[in-house]
Amino acid sequence: MSTQPKLIRFNQNVVSKYQIYNSIFMTLPFDSISKTVVLLPLFYETCKKGFENGENPTTIVETFFKKYQGRRNHQSQINLLFRFIQYIERQVVLFDAVEDAAFPIVHNMEGIGTLRSLKENAEADHKKQLLQQYLEAFKVRIVLTAHPTQFYPGTVLGIITDLAEAIKHDNLSEINSLLAQLGKTPFFKDKKPTPYDEAVNLTWYLKNVFYHSFGSIYDYVQQNIFDDAEIDNSIINIGFWPGGDRDGNPFVTPQITLDVAKKLKESIIKNYIKDVKYLRRRLTFRGIRERIITLNHQLHNTLLNRDEDNQITLLEFRNELKTIRQILISQHQSLYVDKLTMLINRTTLFGYHFASLDIRQDSRVHDEMFTALVNELQANKSDIFPDNYFDLPLKEQLKLLSGIKGTVDGIEFKDELAINITETIKAMKSIQEQNGEIACNRYIISNNQTTLNVLQLFAMLKIVAFGDDLTADVVPLFETVTDLQASANVMEDLYTDKNYRAHLEQRGNKQTIMLGFSDGTKDGGYLMANWAIFKAKEALTQLSRNYGIDVIFFDGRGGPPARGGGKTHQFYASLGPTIEDKEIQLTIQGQTISSNFGTLESSQYNMEQLISSGISNRLNDKNQAMSSDNKKVMDHLAELSYKAYVNFKNHPKFLPYLERMSTLKYYAKTNIGSRPSKRGKSTKLIFEDLRAIPFVGSWSQLKQNVPGFFGVGTALKYYEDKNEFEKVRSLYNDSKFFKTLVENSMMSLSKSFFDLTKYMADDEEFGEFWKIIYAEYETSKRLLLKLTNSEELMENEPVGKASIDVRESIVLPLLTIQQYALKKIQELEKAEVRNEKDIAVYEKIVMRSLFGNINASRNSA
């Protein structure tokens, strides 16, 4: 029997099932739910027809009330809106669960981009040995970040998991019970989580998903590509930011970092204990059973940190497992040897650290900390820094920092900043001693602008805890367009500094450099950010190769295309030979964790796609560098787009529009994450202080998605007006990189819905500004369709488009309610006498509607 097309599989296994199970809500024994279920479809139709007729959200909501709720008083109508919000939140959860359950049916788990496909293609091309060589050096690291854009609390995540499992087996009784549970479970938190809470929430994915899916991937590679031979490379690993990322988050303390590292170690050992218990039930053979029992006791002692003489180190644990395996092979006909090998493989992947905890801080904060540290050292008559250090020329400061000698031991610091940096660095050293070096061996400097930024941290790491044996990497993060352009000069300064170079030699001649898509887009617009990063990578690759350094690029990506998300594996497959690609490292956050890595199947599939994209990029003989002519066109497009975006960003109404017409200020009021929604302490809204998540998320809530397309249309129109559009078409046809940018921008456009905010065109203050955005949207959409010879957006991705369409239809009433509430707030704030009580009610509606909208988008921020 032939396999049906992917779209048909999606419609049958996702859309149809969602409609069937959604109807179960009507049978739940809750009075409020049954009334809501009856009225919501009527409200949806009112919204749909209203927008088709050019009506605004206020008119739509009031028309609905007049037609179906005329007898209800104002309070009763408000209560109904809240019930709509609650019900739609649960519809989104149901759709998530149905989509998760159908993932292995809709996606070909052995098709293009999977490891099986990669292996078979390599064998067909007689390149299996070459594939093995690449896999012995190649790595993919996904880094779970401390930027939660996922509003589901842990209780709801558990329901989604159980619901997906019940849907897989069409267990109607269980589905009914879980939907009833869902109807009673709160979706929002009463207080902000702490950084430790965030870490605990993310360890759920480590324990329940990544441990198993990453283990399965490694097992497959070992068995099918290396023919059961040992692999001297972990291939895949996990980075972790909650508890380590203190950039703009004053709540992350050195003690929090230590506590999170302890939690990670406890979590992985608990998983090992489960596997050892399974082996204890199976390996009941003489000479082995006793050893397994002893291992079990030793792991428990290590977990509880008791009876030090009977604990077990990671190396001892691995060696004992290998010894047991040899006995199984030689004396017991290899019974259950595969199960034992699986556990050995997991110790290779996860060690005693589970995930590598990164430390991150802003360069401007480091500068303050460094200054405080030096001042206290000088006050204590330390000879590490001369008294005139800050008066020295920059060149001499850099020389002193790179060749730093001495230690701060014995000095009791009083300045809070000096205490913070010293305790943080000591925590890194302590974590390495407890969990292994890989547990915490990177310090990232965000907003890195200069060589001084790097060497200040380099010096502090050495004098505070590490000395000359610096078992940690300094990772500069270049974010703005200006910083990206200066990055090669900064790195050349470091590569030519004899002391920093000696450090790199100690670290295997490897240098990790992080590049920030999120702030790059916020700063320079969609095309320029992506192109500036591409060019920076090219320059840094060439520079690093010239100096014999293996550069590793770590991409700071968010969920949506505007923040470097979208079709990530296609992005990595599109990079040519001019960009180093021995490792792929990227941040994964918010809804992207749950949507792309939330289940065993989706986690394994998407991780295999990432591995395959990196490897196939190297195996592909046809993967050529971009031609000089195409580079000129790309350069020009980026410049045109950048100019349009900067002019737009500098518009006097830009910040007021975001502040007063969007949901920007409400992100700060939700209890989604531990960090403040902006950097700095100014009460006035300053663009530079804006974090990328609320910035991009606010445009998404408006269904305008500006960061994902603004400037693209203007750039393309230049070539159309000059009758040179074929140059852009040639770039599109020849460059996978540009093609991926175009497709991701089309995704941003497809999630836009300007009918929602069309009423703003008549606004006395913001009408003209709204028209600028809409005109750019129309131009971008028209010319991207022309460029790709498409009739509609995402024409070549029917399943992705279908999923977006269903999600957008689910939240259409929610978006309408949100805009209605925002408009009411604006009216009430302009009134002669402010009704604070009513304003508070409508603000609560706005905040509650944020949850469902973000969860439904799956990559909105």
Side-chain angles (χ1 to χ4, degrees), residues 355-413:
S356 301
L357 191 60
D358 286 341
I359 307 297
R360 186 175 76 130
Q361 182 58 282
D362 189 281
S363 64
R364 292 163 292 193
V365 178
H366 273 152
D367 189 60
E368 292 177 17
M369 289 175 159
F370 176 78
T371 301
L373 187 70
V374 173
N375 285 337
E376 288 223 31
L377 286 171
Q378 290 171 341
N380 280 276
K381 306 301 181 186
S382 166
D383 60 358
I384 298 176
F385 292 95
D387 290 340
N388 67 337
Y389 170 79
F390 291 112
D391 298 322
L392 293 174
L394 177 61
K395 194 172 181 181
E396 289 187 38
Q397 285 188 22
L398 295 176
K399 185 179 178 183
L400 193 151
L401 291 171
S402 80
I404 200 86
K405 296 291 179 185
T407 176
V408 302
D409 285 353
I411 294 176
E412 189 175 330
F413 293 100

Side-chain angles (χ1 to χ4, degrees), residues 178-304:
L178 288 166
L179 289 178
Q181 181 187 353
L182 196 62
K184 290 280 192 178
T185 303
F187 269 53
F188 54 95
K189 303 178 179 80
D190 294 326
K191 60 180 181 179
K192 272 184 174 291
T194 66
Y196 184 76
D197 294 333
E198 290 171 341
V200 170
N201 288 341
L202 277 187
T203 57
W204 186 92
Y205 290 101
L206 296 178
K207 293 183 293 186
N208 296 289
V209 180
F210 295 130
Y211 183 78
H212 305 287
S213 61
F214 285 18
S216 296
I217 290 171
Y218 194 84
D219 294 341
Y220 180 90
V221 171
Q222 185 183 61
Q223 292 162 15
N224 296 281
I225 297 177
F226 284 85
D227 304 317
D228 288 319
E230 293 278 337
I231 312 169
D232 188 25
N233 182 27
S234 63
I235 302 174
I236 46 181
N237 52 55
I238 308 170
F240 204 75
W241 275 14
D245 180 14
R246 55 245 305 132
D247 178 13
N249 192 340
F251 308 114
V252 179
T253 63
Q255 188 58 51
I256 288 281
T257 303
L258 290 167
D259 291 343
V260 169
K262 183 182 177 186
K263 178 67 177 178
L264 288 168
K265 183 175 182 178
E266 288 173 355
S267 298
I268 189 59
I269 291 177
K270 283 178 181 177
N271 273 30
Y272 291 154
I273 288 171
K274 284 181 188 175
D275 284 352
V276 168
K277 280 183 178 177
Y278 170 82
L279 291 172
R280 185 174 172 175
R281 290 199 304 272
R282 294 290 173 264
L283 303 182
T284 52
F285 320 133
R286 184 169 298 170
I288 289 181
R289 182 172 180 271
E290 297 78 7
R291 302 183 83 133
I292 293 290
I293 291 171
T294 299
L295 268 185
N296 195 27
H297 289 318
Q298 289 174 322
L299 284 171
H300 270 289
N301 288 337
T302 307
L303 173 67
L304 300 172

